[in-house]
Amino acid sequence: MHNDEHYMRLALDVAKAGVGQTSPNPAVGAVVVNGGTVVGLGAHLKAGEPHAEVYAIRMAGEKARGATVYVTLEPCSHYGKTPPCADLLIQAGVRRVVVATTDPNPLVAGKGIAKLRQAGIDVDVGVLKDEADELNRMFFHYIAAKTPFVTLKFACSLDGKIATATGESKWITSSAAREDVHRLRAQHDAILVGVNTVLTDNPKLTVRFGEKRKNPLRIILDTKLRTPLDAHVVADKEAETWIITGGVSREQAAAYERLGVRVFSMPTAQIDVRDVLRLLGEQGVMSLFVEGGSRVHDSFLRAGAVNEVIAYIAPKLIGGRGAPTPVGGLGFARLAEAVELDIRRIETIGPDIKIVAAPKRK
Ligand code: NDP
Ligand code: ZN
């Protein structure tokens, strides 16, 4: 059992190579061990490319026969873009398979494990399950809820201000913290902001630090189509942009569509966050990074639609009764209604503090 955890931890580390680049697939790692020697490693790196098991078994070659395979997610049993990994493991003649967590995808959901067992392979399930579930929390949420996993992010001063009373906000946190935000952007399928943030900051919402990657989709909540045609998100062509409206005329939408922007009309005049998430789920958006502003944060929190909160806190005191805070709008009238969070991690990034938290499950 001790050895099982050791090799599963290695498989999880290998899986991490794919985090943020496998959507709509999960990140998966596999390790093949024969006679106490690691003979194969593999990670799923991109949808459409081979699964982790394929690389690991290929590397192991003949040494896969009689080996134990550690895999962070139940091997698939269906023909997708690639043939089933369960069949591959059976053909390779492995003796035992250790699985961290089962695949909630209804096409797999226990069938991969059943297939292996039918072929006489020993299968153990649940080694480092919590870590494996955490690694693919966005994928698991999306499969179960059919709506994207929502990360709400903000940056503020130690006294909880996102700007001064005169509206100055660039920059409250350090460049190291902002670089971290760009890394997080790259790990989500889409970034969402409210139209006021576009009007005030004219953000690009692209990934500009680190390795050049595909930019996430940009989404603006904009009831009456107030986004300027020359805003970066409309004009720069750096990434796809969708504007979600409360229902606008064809002519209004056409000006944006000519620039390659997709305009969606929601069924209600006031855009309902739940409807937005359903729409995005249908469109295959697995993860959403909500970057403000404060009214949008309020709407997402009050809709109970937030899965994770990431706060960057700068060691600065801004003060001022009129200086805005990360969550605006109406907020919660009673303390009993406040969103209670469990803190998952606290890190320092340059001079700033980063807190990762998740709403308590009720
Ligand atoms: P938002 O950016 O949150 O935009 C709010 C507007 O979005 C609404 O007025 C509304 O305009 C539109 N909207 C459409 N549907 C919804 C909905 N369901 N819920 C909420 N809004 C919706 O505006 P804020 O004024 O609150 O915040 C903007 C400020 O926040 C900026 O000054 C910016 O600098 C700051 N900011 C700070 C960040 C930080 O981390 N420090 C991050 C991001 C922004 P309409 O009715 O026209 O559709
Ligand atoms: Zn597979």
mmCIF file of all heavy atoms in Angstrom, residues 153-156 161-163 167 169 172 193-201 220-226 244 246 269-273 276 291-300 324-326 328-329, ligand 1:
data_model
loop_
_atom_site.group_PDB
_atom_site.id
_atom_site.type_symbol
_atom_site.label_atom_id
_atom_site.label_comp_id
_atom_site.label_asym_id
_atom_site.label_seq_id
_atom_site.Cartn_x
_atom_site.Cartn_y
_atom_site.Cartn_z
ATOM 1 N N LYS A 153 -11.945 35.623 -9.298
ATOM 2 C CA LYS A 153 -10.646 36.161 -8.900
ATOM 3 C C LYS A 153 -10.722 37.663 -8.675
ATOM 4 O O LYS A 153 -11.395 38.370 -9.421
ATOM 5 C CB LYS A 153 -9.619 35.815 -9.994
ATOM 6 C CG LYS A 153 -8.352 36.627 -9.956
ATOM 7 C CD LYS A 153 -8.322 37.601 -11.121
ATOM 8 C CE LYS A 153 -7.657 38.902 -10.794
ATOM 9 N NZ LYS A 153 -7.704 39.853 -11.912
ATOM 10 N N PHE A 154 -10.039 38.142 -7.645
ATOM 11 C CA PHE A 154 -9.893 39.588 -7.496
ATOM 12 C C PHE A 154 -8.573 39.905 -6.821
ATOM 13 O O PHE A 154 -7.937 39.047 -6.222
ATOM 14 C CB PHE A 154 -11.069 40.202 -6.727
ATOM 15 C CG PHE A 154 -11.303 39.626 -5.360
ATOM 16 C CD1 PHE A 154 -10.558 40.059 -4.270
ATOM 17 C CD2 PHE A 154 -12.274 38.651 -5.161
ATOM 18 C CE1 PHE A 154 -10.778 39.540 -3.006
ATOM 19 C CE2 PHE A 154 -12.496 38.110 -3.893
ATOM 20 C CZ PHE A 154 -11.740 38.550 -2.814
ATOM 21 N N ALA A 155 -8.180 41.179 -6.964
ATOM 22 C CA ALA A 155 -6.962 41.670 -6.325
ATOM 23 C C ALA A 155 -7.349 42.880 -5.506
ATOM 24 O O ALA A 155 -8.111 43.727 -5.976
ATOM 25 C CB ALA A 155 -5.954 42.056 -7.382
ATOM 26 N N CYS A 156 -6.885 42.970 -4.284
ATOM 27 C CA CYS A 156 -7.250 44.116 -3.445
ATOM 28 C C CYS A 156 -6.126 44.451 -2.475
ATOM 29 O O CYS A 156 -5.140 43.725 -2.374
ATOM 30 C CB CYS A 156 -8.557 43.832 -2.701
ATOM 31 S SG CYS A 156 -8.462 42.471 -1.546
ATOM 32 N N LYS A 161 -9.691 47.035 -0.662
ATOM 33 C CA LYS A 161 -10.102 47.988 -1.699
ATOM 34 C C LYS A 161 -9.553 47.534 -3.059
ATOM 35 O O LYS A 161 -8.405 47.093 -3.150
ATOM 36 C CB LYS A 161 -9.538 49.385 -1.391
ATOM 37 C CG LYS A 161 -9.901 49.906 -0.005
ATOM 38 C CD LYS A 161 -11.392 50.158 0.133
ATOM 39 C CE LYS A 161 -11.672 50.925 1.427
ATOM 40 N NZ LYS A 161 -13.122 51.072 1.651
ATOM 41 N N ILE A 162 -10.373 47.678 -4.103
ATOM 42 C CA ILE A 162 -9.911 47.319 -5.443
ATOM 43 C C ILE A 162 -9.519 48.557 -6.254
ATOM 44 O O ILE A 162 -9.089 48.452 -7.395
ATOM 45 C CB ILE A 162 -10.945 46.470 -6.221
ATOM 46 C CG1 ILE A 162 -12.253 47.248 -6.420
ATOM 47 C CG2 ILE A 162 -11.222 45.158 -5.502
ATOM 48 C CD1 ILE A 162 -13.196 46.592 -7.408
ATOM 49 N N ALA A 163 -9.702 49.724 -5.673
ATOM 50 C CA ALA A 163 -9.291 50.981 -6.309
ATOM 51 C C ALA A 163 -9.323 52.064 -5.238
ATOM 52 O O ALA A 163 -9.891 51.853 -4.160
ATOM 53 C CB ALA A 163 -10.240 51.338 -7.450
ATOM 54 N N GLY A 167 -10.778 56.189 -8.097
ATOM 55 C CA GLY A 167 -10.889 55.222 -9.183
ATOM 56 C C GLY A 167 -9.572 54.680 -9.705
ATOM 57 O O GLY A 167 -9.550 53.909 -10.665
ATOM 58 N N SER A 169 -6.633 52.223 -10.026
ATOM 59 C CA SER A 169 -6.503 50.811 -9.622
ATOM 60 C C SER A 169 -5.265 50.120 -10.200
ATOM 61 O O SER A 169 -5.033 48.948 -9.937
ATOM 62 C CB SER A 169 -7.756 50.044 -10.036
ATOM 63 O OG SER A 169 -7.852 50.020 -11.439
ATOM 64 N N ILE A 172 -2.544 47.615 -7.975
ATOM 65 C CA ILE A 172 -2.560 47.407 -6.520
ATOM 66 C C ILE A 172 -1.601 46.282 -6.150
ATOM 67 O O ILE A 172 -0.844 46.390 -5.194
ATOM 68 C CB ILE A 172 -4.005 47.140 -6.035
ATOM 69 C CG1 ILE A 172 -4.817 48.431 -6.202
ATOM 70 C CG2 ILE A 172 -4.023 46.654 -4.580
ATOM 71 C CD1 ILE A 172 -6.288 48.289 -5.934
ATOM 72 N N VAL A 193 -16.002 39.052 -17.920
ATOM 73 C CA VAL A 193 -16.078 40.322 -17.177
ATOM 74 C C VAL A 193 -17.400 41.037 -17.505
ATOM 75 O O VAL A 193 -18.059 40.722 -18.499
ATOM 76 C CB VAL A 193 -14.914 41.307 -17.494
ATOM 77 C CG1 VAL A 193 -13.565 40.732 -17.082
ATOM 78 C CG2 VAL A 193 -14.912 41.721 -18.952
ATOM 79 N N GLY A 194 -17.730 42.013 -16.678
ATOM 80 C CA GLY A 194 -18.896 42.862 -16.925
ATOM 81 C C GLY A 194 -18.522 44.012 -17.847
ATOM 82 O O GLY A 194 -17.356 44.383 -17.962
ATOM 83 N N VAL A 195 -19.524 44.587 -18.494
ATOM 84 C CA VAL A 195 -19.268 45.649 -19.466
ATOM 85 C C VAL A 195 -18.616 46.875 -18.814
ATOM 86 O O VAL A 195 -17.827 47.587 -19.443
ATOM 87 C CB VAL A 195 -20.552 46.014 -20.242
ATOM 88 C CG1 VAL A 195 -21.624 46.597 -19.320
ATOM 89 C CG2 VAL A 195 -20.232 47.000 -21.366
ATOM 90 N N ASN A 196 -18.912 47.133 -17.534
ATOM 91 C CA ASN A 196 -18.287 48.294 -16.893
ATOM 92 C C ASN A 196 -16.772 48.158 -16.817
ATOM 93 O O ASN A 196 -16.049 49.156 -16.919
ATOM 94 C CB ASN A 196 -18.849 48.509 -15.485
ATOM 95 C CG ASN A 196 -20.270 49.061 -15.513
ATOM 96 O OD1 ASN A 196 -20.775 49.410 -16.590
ATOM 97 N ND2 ASN A 196 -20.911 49.105 -14.371
ATOM 98 N N THR A 197 -16.312 46.936 -16.614
ATOM 99 C CA THR A 197 -14.867 46.709 -16.579
ATOM 100 C C THR A 197 -14.262 46.993 -17.957
ATOM 101 O O THR A 197 -13.183 47.575 -18.075
ATOM 102 C CB THR A 197 -14.570 45.274 -16.102
ATOM 103 O OG1 THR A 197 -14.981 45.176 -14.740
ATOM 104 C CG2 THR A 197 -13.090 44.934 -16.197
ATOM 105 N N VAL A 198 -14.979 46.616 -19.011
ATOM 106 C CA VAL A 198 -14.500 46.915 -20.369
ATOM 107 C C VAL A 198 -14.456 48.428 -20.582
ATOM 108 O O VAL A 198 -13.480 48.981 -21.077
ATOM 109 C CB VAL A 198 -15.395 46.241 -21.436
ATOM 110 C CG1 VAL A 198 -14.982 46.657 -22.842
ATOM 111 C CG2 VAL A 198 -15.342 44.725 -21.293
ATOM 112 N N LEU A 199 -15.527 49.106 -20.148
ATOM 113 C CA LEU A 199 -15.601 50.555 -20.343
ATOM 114 C C LEU A 199 -14.536 51.295 -19.525
ATOM 115 O O LEU A 199 -13.955 52.274 -19.998
ATOM 116 C CB LEU A 199 -17.003 51.065 -19.965
ATOM 117 C CG LEU A 199 -18.117 50.644 -20.930
ATOM 118 C CD1 LEU A 199 -19.496 50.923 -20.330
ATOM 119 C CD2 LEU A 199 -17.973 51.365 -22.280
ATOM 120 N N THR A 200 -14.275 50.839 -18.316
ATOM 121 C CA THR A 200 -13.330 51.560 -17.452
ATOM 122 C C THR A 200 -11.881 51.213 -17.761
ATOM 123 O O THR A 200 -11.023 52.094 -17.802
ATOM 124 C CB THR A 200 -13.569 51.190 -15.958
ATOM 125 O OG1 THR A 200 -14.929 50.947 -15.748
ATOM 126 C CG2 THR A 200 -13.088 52.266 -15.020
ATOM 127 N N ASP A 201 -11.597 49.903 -17.914
ATOM 128 C CA ASP A 201 -10.192 49.462 -17.999
ATOM 129 C C ASP A 201 -9.756 49.104 -19.423
ATOM 130 O O ASP A 201 -8.557 48.966 -19.664
ATOM 131 C CB ASP A 201 -9.971 48.220 -17.120
ATOM 132 C CG ASP A 201 -10.212 48.500 -15.646
ATOM 133 O OD1 ASP A 201 -10.348 49.683 -15.289
ATOM 134 O OD2 ASP A 201 -10.259 47.538 -14.865
ATOM 135 N N ILE A 220 -18.207 38.836 -22.387
ATOM 136 C CA ILE A 220 -18.625 40.080 -21.746
ATOM 137 C C ILE A 220 -20.124 40.009 -21.447
ATOM 138 O O ILE A 220 -20.907 39.666 -22.330
ATOM 139 C CB ILE A 220 -18.400 41.308 -22.689
ATOM 140 C CG1 ILE A 220 -17.056 41.222 -23.451
ATOM 141 C CG2 ILE A 220 -18.533 42.624 -21.922
ATOM 142 C CD1 ILE A 220 -15.831 41.201 -22.601
ATOM 143 N N LEU A 221 -20.508 40.337 -20.212
ATOM 144 C CA LEU A 221 -21.937 40.479 -19.882
ATOM 145 C C LEU A 221 -22.309 41.929 -20.164
ATOM 146 O O LEU A 221 -21.787 42.844 -19.528
ATOM 147 C CB LEU A 221 -22.212 40.154 -18.412
ATOM 148 C CG LEU A 221 -21.951 38.731 -17.946
ATOM 149 C CD1 LEU A 221 -22.500 38.538 -16.534
ATOM 150 C CD2 LEU A 221 -22.557 37.707 -18.894
ATOM 151 N N ASP A 222 -23.186 42.132 -21.124
ATOM 152 C CA ASP A 222 -23.444 43.484 -21.613
ATOM 153 C C ASP A 222 -24.886 43.553 -22.134
ATOM 154 O O ASP A 222 -25.133 43.333 -23.326
ATOM 155 C CB ASP A 222 -22.421 43.768 -22.736
ATOM 156 C CG ASP A 222 -22.568 45.152 -23.332
ATOM 157 O OD1 ASP A 222 -23.406 45.931 -22.850
ATOM 158 O OD2 ASP A 222 -21.832 45.442 -24.297
ATOM 159 N N THR A 223 -25.814 43.872 -21.241
ATOM 160 C CA THR A 223 -27.239 43.808 -21.564
ATOM 161 C C THR A 223 -27.596 44.558 -22.849
ATOM 162 O O THR A 223 -28.280 44.026 -23.714
ATOM 163 C CB THR A 223 -28.073 44.410 -20.403
ATOM 164 O OG1 THR A 223 -27.517 43.934 -19.183
ATOM 165 C CG2 THR A 223 -29.518 44.008 -20.483
ATOM 166 N N LYS A 224 -27.119 45.815 -22.947
ATOM 167 C CA LYS A 224 -27.582 46.663 -24.051
ATOM 168 C C LYS A 224 -26.514 46.898 -25.108
ATOM 169 O O LYS A 224 -26.625 47.815 -25.915
ATOM 170 C CB LYS A 224 -28.064 47.993 -23.482
ATOM 171 C CG LYS A 224 -29.255 47.861 -22.536
ATOM 172 C CD LYS A 224 -29.671 49.206 -21.985
ATOM 173 C CE LYS A 224 -29.967 49.216 -20.497
ATOM 174 N NZ LYS A 224 -28.856 48.866 -19.593
ATOM 175 N N LEU A 225 -25.482 46.109 -25.117
ATOM 176 C CA LEU A 225 -24.414 46.233 -26.104
ATOM 177 C C LEU A 225 -23.736 47.613 -26.037
ATOM 178 O O LEU A 225 -23.691 48.370 -27.000
ATOM 179 C CB LEU A 225 -24.985 45.970 -27.517
ATOM 180 C CG LEU A 225 -24.178 45.137 -28.504
ATOM 181 C CD1 LEU A 225 -23.450 43.972 -27.846
ATOM 182 C CD2 LEU A 225 -25.046 44.600 -29.613
ATOM 183 N N ARG A 226 -23.195 47.899 -24.859
ATOM 184 C CA ARG A 226 -22.464 49.155 -24.665
ATOM 185 C C ARG A 226 -20.960 49.002 -24.906
ATOM 186 O O ARG A 226 -20.210 49.978 -24.833
ATOM 187 C CB ARG A 226 -22.690 49.664 -23.226
ATOM 188 C CG ARG A 226 -24.127 50.109 -22.945
ATOM 189 C CD ARG A 226 -24.220 50.828 -21.603
ATOM 190 N NE ARG A 226 -24.028 49.939 -20.461
ATOM 191 C CZ ARG A 226 -23.328 50.245 -19.379
ATOM 192 N NH1 ARG A 226 -22.726 51.411 -19.285
ATOM 193 N NH2 ARG A 226 -23.221 49.389 -18.381
ATOM 194 N N ILE A 244 -22.658 38.645 -24.283
ATOM 195 C CA ILE A 244 -23.955 38.127 -23.875
ATOM 196 C C ILE A 244 -24.844 39.316 -23.525
ATOM 197 O O ILE A 244 -24.487 40.150 -22.686
ATOM 198 C CB ILE A 244 -23.795 37.153 -22.701
ATOM 199 C CG1 ILE A 244 -22.931 35.991 -23.210
ATOM 200 C CG2 ILE A 244 -25.156 36.673 -22.195
ATOM 201 C CD1 ILE A 244 -22.683 34.900 -22.242
ATOM 202 N N GLY A 246 -29.006 41.160 -23.201
ATOM 203 C CA GLY A 246 -30.363 40.890 -22.731
ATOM 204 C C GLY A 246 -31.359 40.874 -23.888
ATOM 205 O O GLY A 246 -32.559 40.937 -23.660
ATOM 206 N N ALA A 269 -34.574 40.150 -19.879
ATOM 207 C CA ALA A 269 -33.975 41.473 -20.042
ATOM 208 C C ALA A 269 -32.790 41.628 -19.085
ATOM 209 O O ALA A 269 -31.763 42.209 -19.442
ATOM 210 C CB ALA A 269 -35.019 42.558 -19.800
ATOM 211 N N GLN A 270 -32.943 41.134 -17.848
ATOM 212 C CA GLN A 270 -31.817 41.115 -16.914
ATOM 213 C C GLN A 270 -31.101 39.793 -17.108
ATOM 214 O O GLN A 270 -31.714 38.730 -16.985
ATOM 215 C CB GLN A 270 -32.340 41.181 -15.456
ATOM 216 C CG GLN A 270 -32.967 42.509 -15.081
ATOM 217 C CD GLN A 270 -31.922 43.593 -14.879
ATOM 218 O OE1 GLN A 270 -30.812 43.297 -14.443
ATOM 219 N NE2 GLN A 270 -32.253 44.813 -15.222
ATOM 220 N N ILE A 271 -29.788 39.858 -17.409
ATOM 221 C CA ILE A 271 -29.058 38.615 -17.667
ATOM 222 C C ILE A 271 -28.933 37.810 -16.373
ATOM 223 O O ILE A 271 -28.457 38.315 -15.359
ATOM 224 C CB ILE A 271 -27.662 38.917 -18.240
ATOM 225 C CG1 ILE A 271 -27.799 39.685 -19.559
ATOM 226 C CG2 ILE A 271 -26.876 37.634 -18.427
ATOM 227 C CD1 ILE A 271 -26.491 40.260 -20.070
ATOM 228 N N ASP A 272 -29.401 36.562 -16.431
ATOM 229 C CA ASP A 272 -29.348 35.678 -15.267
ATOM 230 C C ASP A 272 -28.097 34.792 -15.382
ATOM 231 O O ASP A 272 -27.913 34.099 -16.378
ATOM 232 C CB ASP A 272 -30.628 34.821 -15.251
ATOM 233 C CG ASP A 272 -30.743 33.956 -14.013
ATOM 234 O OD1 ASP A 272 -29.687 33.497 -13.505
ATOM 235 O OD2 ASP A 272 -31.873 33.728 -13.563
ATOM 236 N N VAL A 273 -27.273 34.855 -14.334
ATOM 237 C CA VAL A 273 -26.017 34.099 -14.340
ATOM 238 C C VAL A 273 -26.253 32.611 -14.623
ATOM 239 O O VAL A 273 -25.484 31.972 -15.339
ATOM 240 C CB VAL A 273 -25.298 34.297 -12.984
ATOM 241 C CG1 VAL A 273 -24.217 33.260 -12.767
ATOM 242 C CG2 VAL A 273 -24.713 35.704 -12.903
ATOM 243 N N VAL A 276 -26.572 32.051 -18.223
ATOM 244 C CA VAL A 276 -25.266 32.196 -18.881
ATOM 245 C C VAL A 276 -24.475 30.902 -18.733
ATOM 246 O O VAL A 276 -23.898 30.390 -19.698
ATOM 247 C CB VAL A 276 -24.472 33.379 -18.269
ATOM 248 C CG1 VAL A 276 -23.050 33.423 -18.817
ATOM 249 C CG2 VAL A 276 -25.194 34.697 -18.529
ATOM 250 N N GLU A 291 -13.339 37.657 -13.787
ATOM 251 C CA GLU A 291 -12.358 38.675 -13.375
ATOM 252 C C GLU A 291 -12.984 40.035 -13.122
ATOM 253 O O GLU A 291 -12.364 41.060 -13.358
ATOM 254 C CB GLU A 291 -11.275 38.814 -14.452
ATOM 255 C CG GLU A 291 -10.375 37.599 -14.595
ATOM 256 C CD GLU A 291 -9.033 37.972 -15.190
ATOM 257 O OE1 GLU A 291 -8.299 38.784 -14.609
ATOM 258 O OE2 GLU A 291 -8.716 37.439 -16.269
ATOM 259 N N GLY A 292 -14.222 40.049 -12.660
ATOM 260 C CA GLY A 292 -14.788 41.338 -12.281
ATOM 261 C C GLY A 292 -15.819 41.849 -13.259
ATOM 262 O O GLY A 292 -16.157 41.181 -14.220
ATOM 263 N N GLY A 293 -16.320 43.038 -12.960
ATOM 264 C CA GLY A 293 -16.003 43.788 -11.753
ATOM 265 C C GLY A 293 -16.837 43.360 -10.572
ATOM 266 O O GLY A 293 -17.339 42.243 -10.496
ATOM 267 N N SER A 294 -17.007 44.308 -9.694
ATOM 268 C CA SER A 294 -17.628 43.979 -8.416
ATOM 269 C C SER A 294 -19.107 43.604 -8.547
ATOM 270 O O SER A 294 -19.606 42.786 -7.789
ATOM 271 C CB SER A 294 -17.444 45.148 -7.458
ATOM 272 O OG SER A 294 -17.947 46.316 -8.033
ATOM 273 N N ARG A 295 -19.797 44.168 -9.525
ATOM 274 C CA ARG A 295 -21.220 43.807 -9.690
ATOM 275 C C ARG A 295 -21.359 42.390 -10.220
ATOM 276 O O ARG A 295 -22.257 41.654 -9.846
ATOM 277 C CB ARG A 295 -21.904 44.781 -10.662
ATOM 278 C CG ARG A 295 -22.372 46.063 -10.000
ATOM 279 C CD ARG A 295 -23.365 46.787 -10.889
ATOM 280 N NE ARG A 295 -24.558 45.986 -11.172
ATOM 281 C CZ ARG A 295 -25.485 46.318 -12.066
ATOM 282 N NH1 ARG A 295 -25.356 47.420 -12.760
ATOM 283 N NH2 ARG A 295 -26.526 45.541 -12.260
ATOM 284 N N VAL A 296 -20.477 42.057 -11.152
ATOM 285 C CA VAL A 296 -20.505 40.704 -11.712
ATOM 286 C C VAL A 296 -20.174 39.688 -10.615
ATOM 287 O O VAL A 296 -20.816 38.640 -10.501
ATOM 288 C CB VAL A 296 -19.534 40.607 -12.916
ATOM 289 C CG1 VAL A 296 -19.223 39.154 -13.255
ATOM 290 C CG2 VAL A 296 -20.141 41.313 -14.121
ATOM 291 N N HIS A 297 -19.197 40.012 -9.783
ATOM 292 C CA HIS A 297 -18.874 39.109 -8.666
ATOM 293 C C HIS A 297 -20.098 38.897 -7.779
ATOM 294 O O HIS A 297 -20.403 37.771 -7.374
ATOM 295 C CB HIS A 297 -17.724 39.690 -7.831
ATOM 296 C CG HIS A 297 -16.404 39.578 -8.521
ATOM 297 N ND1 HIS A 297 -15.271 40.220 -8.077
ATOM 298 C CD2 HIS A 297 -16.028 38.888 -9.619
ATOM 299 C CE1 HIS A 297 -14.261 39.927 -8.876
ATOM 300 N NE2 HIS A 297 -14.703 39.130 -9.823
ATOM 301 N N ASP A 298 -20.789 39.980 -7.482
ATOM 302 C CA ASP A 298 -21.988 39.890 -6.651
ATOM 303 C C ASP A 298 -23.026 38.968 -7.286
ATOM 304 O O ASP A 298 -23.599 38.105 -6.624
ATOM 305 C CB ASP A 298 -22.558 41.307 -6.453
ATOM 306 C CG ASP A 298 -23.826 41.308 -5.614
ATOM 307 O OD1 ASP A 298 -23.772 40.797 -4.486
ATOM 308 O OD2 ASP A 298 -24.851 41.808 -6.099
ATOM 309 N N SER A 299 -23.240 39.142 -8.598
ATOM 310 C CA SER A 299 -24.242 38.312 -9.282
ATOM 311 C C SER A 299 -23.872 36.828 -9.212
ATOM 312 O O SER A 299 -24.728 35.982 -8.975
ATOM 313 C CB SER A 299 -24.356 38.698 -10.754
ATOM 314 O OG SER A 299 -24.939 39.960 -10.862
ATOM 315 N N PHE A 300 -22.598 36.527 -9.443
ATOM 316 C CA PHE A 300 -22.173 35.124 -9.413
ATOM 317 C C PHE A 300 -22.302 34.544 -8.005
ATOM 318 O O PHE A 300 -22.743 33.413 -7.831
ATOM 319 C CB PHE A 300 -20.738 34.967 -9.938
ATOM 320 C CG PHE A 300 -20.680 34.779 -11.425
ATOM 321 C CD1 PHE A 300 -20.816 35.862 -12.277
ATOM 322 C CD2 PHE A 300 -20.539 33.516 -11.986
ATOM 323 C CE1 PHE A 300 -20.792 35.697 -13.653
ATOM 324 C CE2 PHE A 300 -20.508 33.329 -13.365
ATOM 325 C CZ PHE A 300 -20.637 34.424 -14.201
ATOM 326 N N PRO A 324 -13.960 51.372 -3.877
ATOM 327 C CA PRO A 324 -14.719 50.137 -4.105
ATOM 328 C C PRO A 324 -14.029 48.881 -3.542
ATOM 329 O O PRO A 324 -12.826 48.862 -3.322
ATOM 330 C CB PRO A 324 -14.814 50.053 -5.627
ATOM 331 C CG PRO A 324 -13.686 50.858 -6.140
ATOM 332 C CD PRO A 324 -13.419 51.928 -5.132
ATOM 333 N N THR A 325 -14.834 47.853 -3.337
ATOM 334 C CA THR A 325 -14.368 46.578 -2.786
ATOM 335 C C THR A 325 -14.682 45.456 -3.787
ATOM 336 O O THR A 325 -15.415 45.690 -4.753
ATOM 337 C CB THR A 325 -15.047 46.315 -1.425
ATOM 338 O OG1 THR A 325 -16.460 46.311 -1.624
ATOM 339 C CG2 THR A 325 -14.688 47.403 -0.411
ATOM 340 N N PRO A 326 -14.139 44.262 -3.588
ATOM 341 C CA PRO A 326 -14.247 43.221 -4.626
ATOM 342 C C PRO A 326 -15.660 42.772 -4.956
ATOM 343 O O PRO A 326 -15.927 42.344 -6.073
ATOM 344 C CB PRO A 326 -13.456 42.050 -4.042
ATOM 345 C CG PRO A 326 -12.529 42.656 -3.041
ATOM 346 C CD PRO A 326 -13.242 43.847 -2.488
ATOM 347 N N GLY A 328 -19.526 44.042 -5.108
ATOM 348 C CA GLY A 328 -20.399 45.204 -4.986
ATOM 349 C C GLY A 328 -21.854 44.795 -5.047
ATOM 350 O O GLY A 328 -22.265 43.837 -4.382
ATOM 351 N N GLY A 329 -22.598 45.468 -5.893
ATOM 352 C CA GLY A 329 -24.012 45.143 -6.080
ATOM 353 C C GLY A 329 -24.773 45.241 -4.781
ATOM 354 O O GLY A 329 -24.511 46.111 -3.956
HETATM 355 P P1 NDP B 1 -18.747 45.261 -13.785
HETATM 356 O O1 NDP B 1 -17.517 45.174 -14.570
HETATM 357 O O2 NDP B 1 -19.061 44.199 -12.796
HETATM 358 O O3 NDP B 1 -19.930 45.362 -14.834
HETATM 359 C C1 NDP B 1 -21.245 45.443 -14.358
HETATM 360 C C2 NDP B 1 -22.162 45.644 -15.522
HETATM 361 O O4 NDP B 1 -22.252 44.431 -16.273
HETATM 362 C C3 NDP B 1 -23.553 45.938 -15.063
HETATM 363 O O5 NDP B 1 -23.706 47.287 -14.755
HETATM 364 C C4 NDP B 1 -24.350 45.504 -16.251
HETATM 365 O O6 NDP B 1 -24.377 46.554 -17.203
HETATM 366 C C5 NDP B 1 -23.535 44.371 -16.825
HETATM 367 N N1 NDP B 1 -24.176 43.113 -16.462
HETATM 368 C C6 NDP B 1 -24.946 42.400 -17.289
HETATM 369 N N2 NDP B 1 -25.438 41.346 -16.673
HETATM 370 C C7 NDP B 1 -24.997 41.365 -15.413
HETATM 371 C C8 NDP B 1 -25.219 40.527 -14.298
HETATM 372 N N3 NDP B 1 -25.971 39.429 -14.367
HETATM 373 N N4 NDP B 1 -24.619 40.859 -13.140
HETATM 374 C C9 NDP B 1 -23.825 41.946 -13.048
HETATM 375 N N5 NDP B 1 -23.608 42.770 -14.079
HETATM 376 C C10 NDP B 1 -24.184 42.497 -15.265
HETATM 377 O O7 NDP B 1 -18.874 46.690 -13.111
HETATM 378 P P2 NDP B 1 -18.416 47.317 -11.745
HETATM 379 O O8 NDP B 1 -18.678 48.758 -11.896
HETATM 380 O O9 NDP B 1 -18.928 46.591 -10.588
HETATM 381 O O10 NDP B 1 -16.853 47.085 -11.741
HETATM 382 C C11 NDP B 1 -16.009 47.775 -12.619
HETATM 383 C C12 NDP B 1 -14.810 48.253 -11.858
HETATM 384 O O11 NDP B 1 -14.172 47.171 -11.211
HETATM 385 C C13 NDP B 1 -13.806 48.860 -12.763
HETATM 386 O O12 NDP B 1 -13.514 50.138 -12.271
HETATM 387 C C14 NDP B 1 -12.605 47.988 -12.674
HETATM 388 O O13 NDP B 1 -11.436 48.737 -12.653
HETATM 389 C C15 NDP B 1 -12.773 47.281 -11.368
HETATM 390 N N6 NDP B 1 -12.192 45.957 -11.424
HETATM 391 C C16 NDP B 1 -11.288 45.584 -10.480
HETATM 392 C C17 NDP B 1 -10.740 44.322 -10.456
HETATM 393 C C18 NDP B 1 -9.801 43.904 -9.375
HETATM 394 O O14 NDP B 1 -9.572 42.691 -9.192
HETATM 395 N N7 NDP B 1 -9.201 44.792 -8.619
HETATM 396 C C19 NDP B 1 -11.064 43.350 -11.491
HETATM 397 C C20 NDP B 1 -12.024 43.843 -12.448
HETATM 398 C C21 NDP B 1 -12.559 45.089 -12.390
HETATM 399 P P3 NDP B 1 -25.587 46.572 -18.263
HETATM 400 O O15 NDP B 1 -26.819 46.747 -17.450
HETATM 401 O O16 NDP B 1 -25.282 47.663 -19.185
HETATM 402 O O17 NDP B 1 -25.541 45.243 -18.907
#
